[in-house]
């Protein structure tokens, strides 16, 4: 298991409760579901510990010998940052509210899958480095899901539950990819209605709002420079 950047289910719940508390104090956080696309470049403090550029030559030398600047270590830090980005947005109370997503395990998992898919699609344009980061990020995501399932109290037939959730991930990704194909008979809104809203008849309009949100996120990711994406320095909420 690769748990270096994994959050447990308890931590996910704590982060969501913290976000809700902050929302109560400051008002709803904007998710920009229908505004014009813009780069998602993020200049805040990295969530994954990094070494400042002004570190001493001695310190950098020691880190270099320890592999800190290796490609693999760089990929791992980028994947960690992207996982934080995905979790922050998928647990954003304003997102649940604006897009009318029920706040429970299944719907939260669906939002996590959606945002992982968005990032993987963007990374797919970055050649081998993008593919390597995608794989590490996906492995960390699956570790998170296992933690979430365990913390939810599932002890019996755990592997069956994990296998089913993994199938849901791949199924939703395939549905979104297919919906974006010009020859597809299913709209992205319909795919979202089926995979995120579980075909709830009352959520058809919400699915169209979600489609607008997703298309804007894709356009914003396209505007984000490659070097920024490969460092994981992005945030959906700006």
């Amino acid at each position: 298991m690769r748990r270096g950047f994994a959050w447990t289910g308890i931590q996910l719940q704590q982060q969501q409760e913290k976000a809700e508390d902050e929302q109560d104090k400051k008002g709803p956080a904007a998710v920009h579901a229908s505004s014009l696309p813009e780069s998602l470049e993020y200049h805040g403090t990295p969530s994954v510990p990094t070494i400042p550029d002004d570190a001493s030559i001695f310190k950098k030398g020691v880190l270099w010998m320890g592999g800190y600047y290796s490609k693999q270590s760089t990929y791992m830090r980028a994947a960690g940052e992207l996982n934080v980005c995905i979790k922050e947005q998928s647990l954003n109370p304003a997102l649940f509210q604006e897009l009318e997503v029920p706040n429970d395990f299944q719907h939260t998992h669906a939002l996590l899958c959606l945002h992982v898919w968005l990032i993987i699609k963007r990374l797919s344009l970055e050649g081998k480095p993008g593919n390597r980061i995608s794989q590490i990020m996906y492995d960390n995501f699956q570790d998170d899901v296992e933690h979430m399932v365990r913390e939810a109290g599932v002890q019996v037939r755990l592997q069956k539950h994990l296998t089913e959730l993994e199938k849901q991930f791949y199924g939703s990704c395939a549905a979104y990819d297919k919906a974006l194909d010009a020859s597809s008979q299913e709209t992205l809104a319909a795919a979202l209605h089926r995979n995120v809203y579980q075909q709830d008849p009352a959520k058809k309009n919400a699915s169209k709002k979600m489609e607008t949100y997703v298309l804007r996120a894709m356009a914003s990711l396209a505007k984000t420079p490659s070097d920024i994406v490969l460092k994981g320095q992005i945030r959906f909420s700006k």
Side-chain angles (χ1 to χ4, degrees), residues 10 12 21-22 25-26 29 35 57 74 90 106-107 127 147 150 152 182 209 211 215 224-225 228:
I10 290 177
L12 286 168
D21 289 341
E22 291 176 351
K25 295 177 182 177
K26 301 178 182 179
S35 59
I57 295 177
T74 301
S90 299
Q106 193 62 43
H107 288 88
H147 280 297
R150 288 183 183 277
K209 290 167 64 177
E211 179 184 56
L215 293 176
T224 307
I228 298 300

Side-chain angles (χ1 to χ4, degrees), residues 41-91:
E41 185 172 352
Y42 174 71
H43 295 288
T45 302
S47 299
V48 178
T50 57
I51 302 303
D53 294 333
D54 60 355
S56 68
I57 295 177
F58 174 76
K59 187 172 185 178
K60 289 183 177 180
V62 172
L63 290 169
W64 179 80
M65 288 187 291
Y68 177 85
Y69 296 103
S70 69
K71 286 185 178 180
Q72 183 67 11
S73 292
T74 301
Y75 295 156
M76 289 178 67
R77 288 193 294 275
E81 282 294 331
L82 291 171
N83 276 339
V84 171
C85 165
I86 288 167
K87 292 166 188 171
E88 285 184 353
Q89 186 69 347
S90 299
L91 296 175

